[in-house]
């Protein structure tokens, strides 16, 4: 298995532009998570899905952020409009349905977003 | 709610020395505990996990951690540091038991520096 695949690896955009981050989870994993990592705030859980359904989006910072999972093999995190304070590394992770806490999460390599 | 505290944002050791990274947890129910490692420009990788079986848990790359309920601790150790161990290490906790899915809560991370 190729693991959790995220694209792009790096994204530089201007303030006000729309940014879309993509994630392909491991086949057969029923949970998908989006995290944001910054020096100031560490790892923050933004949202997670179970069987393509958003379960908890309480970590989404504001309405500029939205996430979708149209099918079991694809998810997007969109920021519109983007702001410099959104600059961070965004990670996607997936986990199996049966006792996900027993198996741990598998993380992608992340997308480093820079908003100028 | 569960939480973890990692003491020391940076730990420096010499190659061949003992590695000790500290993690204390807070949980109202028996926890599941995890250590993850993040190498530069990569995602988080599961190092080891405690899920209420043996209190001494062995992980990859020679690391191990011991669950001590009386001290609410889950410290990570390695007898002899290698240069390749230089990375950031995250402790994480979730509720244990058959309570359904429980998301992981991560600590703020400890950066391990290894000098020749």
């Amino acid at each position: 298995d190729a693991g959790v695949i995220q694209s792009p690896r790096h994204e530089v955009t201007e303030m006000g532009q729309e940014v879309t981050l993509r994630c392909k989870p491991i086949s057969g994993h029923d949970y998908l998570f989006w995290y944001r990592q910054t020096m100031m705030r560490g790892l923050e859980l933004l949202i997670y899905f179970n069987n393509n359904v958003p379960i908890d989006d309480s970590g989404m910072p504001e309405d500029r952020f939205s996430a979708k999972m149209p099918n079991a093999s694809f998810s997007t995190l969109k920021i519109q409009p983007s702001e410099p304070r959104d600059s961070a590394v965004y990670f996607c992770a997936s986990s199996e349905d049966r006792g996900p806490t027993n198996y741990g999460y598998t993380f992608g390599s992340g997308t480093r977003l820079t908003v100028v | 709610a569960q939480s973890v505290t990692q003491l020391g944002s940076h730990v420096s050791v010499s190659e061949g020395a003992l590695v000790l990274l500290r993690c204390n947890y807070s949980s109202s129910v028996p926890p599941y505990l995890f250590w993850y490692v993040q190498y530069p420009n990569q995602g988080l990788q599961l190092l080891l996990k405690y899920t209420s079986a043996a209190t001494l848990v062995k992980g990859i790359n020679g690391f191990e951690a011991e669950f001590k309920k009386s001290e609410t601790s889950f410290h990570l150790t390695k007898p002899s540091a290698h240069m390749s161990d230089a990375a950031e290490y995250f402790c994480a906790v979730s509720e244990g038991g058959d309570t359904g899915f429980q998301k992981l809560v991560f600590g703020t991370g400890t950066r391990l520096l290894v000098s020749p």
Side-chain angles (χ1 to χ4, degrees):
Chain A
D1 198 318
V4 176
I5 300 173
Q6 292 187 246
S7 64
R9 287 298 308 272
H10 302 274
E11 177 79 38
V12 180
T13 191
E14 292 185 348
M15 182 175 62
Q17 296 298 305
E18 177 180 295
V19 176
T20 300
L21 312 181
R22 298 173 176 79
C23 175
K24 176 179 169 52
I26 290 176
S27 177
H29 281 194
D30 294 329
Y31 286 89
L32 183 139
F33 311 85
W34 281 102
Y35 283 86
R36 179 172 67 176
Q37 185 179 38
T38 61
M39 290 291 292
M40 293 298 295
R41 301 171 72 93
L43 267 172
E44 302 174 274
L45 176 63
L46 301 178
I47 185 172
Y48 76 90
F49 296 82
N50 177 218
N51 291 324
N52 314 335
V53 176
I55 302 301
D56 183 354
D57 65 354
S58 59
M60 297 286 263
E62 45 198 279
D63 292 346
R64 298 184 296 106
F65 286 70
S66 62
K68 294 182 180 180
M69 192 165 185
N71 57 62
S73 59
F74 184 65
S75 177
T76 59
L77 178 68
K78 185 177 293 185
I79 308 172
Q80 166 65 16
S82 58
E83 296 182 3
R85 60 193 168 117
D86 301 331
S87 297
V89 181
Y90 291 81
F91 287 104
C92 176
S94 69
S95 184
E96 296 182 64
D97 185 26
R98 285 183 299 159
T101 54
N102 285 331
Y103 294 97
Y105 299 177
T106 302
F107 281 79
S109 298
T111 295
R112 183 174 297 276
L113 173 65
T114 303
V115 183
V116 298
Chain B
Q2 296 77 36
S3 67
V4 289
T5 301
Q6 292 184 241
L7 298 175
S9 58
H10 291 79
V11 170
S12 295
V13 300
S14 299
E15 192 173 20
L18 170 72
V19 175
L20 171 61
L21 304 182
R22 299 178 186 274
C23 173
N24 288 89
Y25 69 89
S26 172
S27 177
S28 58
V29 298
Y32 289 165
L33 292 158
F34 303 78
W35 275 100
Y36 282 81
V37 60
Q38 184 181 26
Y39 298 103
N41 300 314
Q42 295 186 27
L44 279 70
Q45 176 184 356
L46 181 64
L47 203 54
L48 51 78
K49 59 181 183 252
Y50 165 77
T51 56
S52 74
T55 56
L56 182 62
V57 182
K58 295 188 184 298
I60 61 173
N61 302 336
F63 283 92
E64 62 182 35
E66 185 171 9
F67 172 70
K68 292 187 176 181
K69 183 178 179 180
S70 61
E71 299 178 8
T72 61
S73 68
F74 190 58
H75 301 331
L76 182 70
T77 60
K78 182 174 180 178
S80 177
H82 191 272
M83 296 295 290
S84 61
D85 295 326
E88 186 139 19
Y89 293 79
F90 292 89
C91 184
V93 65
S94 72
E95 282 191 5
D98 189 19
T99 55
F101 175 71
Q102 297 292 336
K103 60 187 179 185
L104 289 180
V105 176
F106 286 89
T108 52
T110 297
R111 185 169 297 278
L112 176 65
L113 306 170
V114 183
S115 57

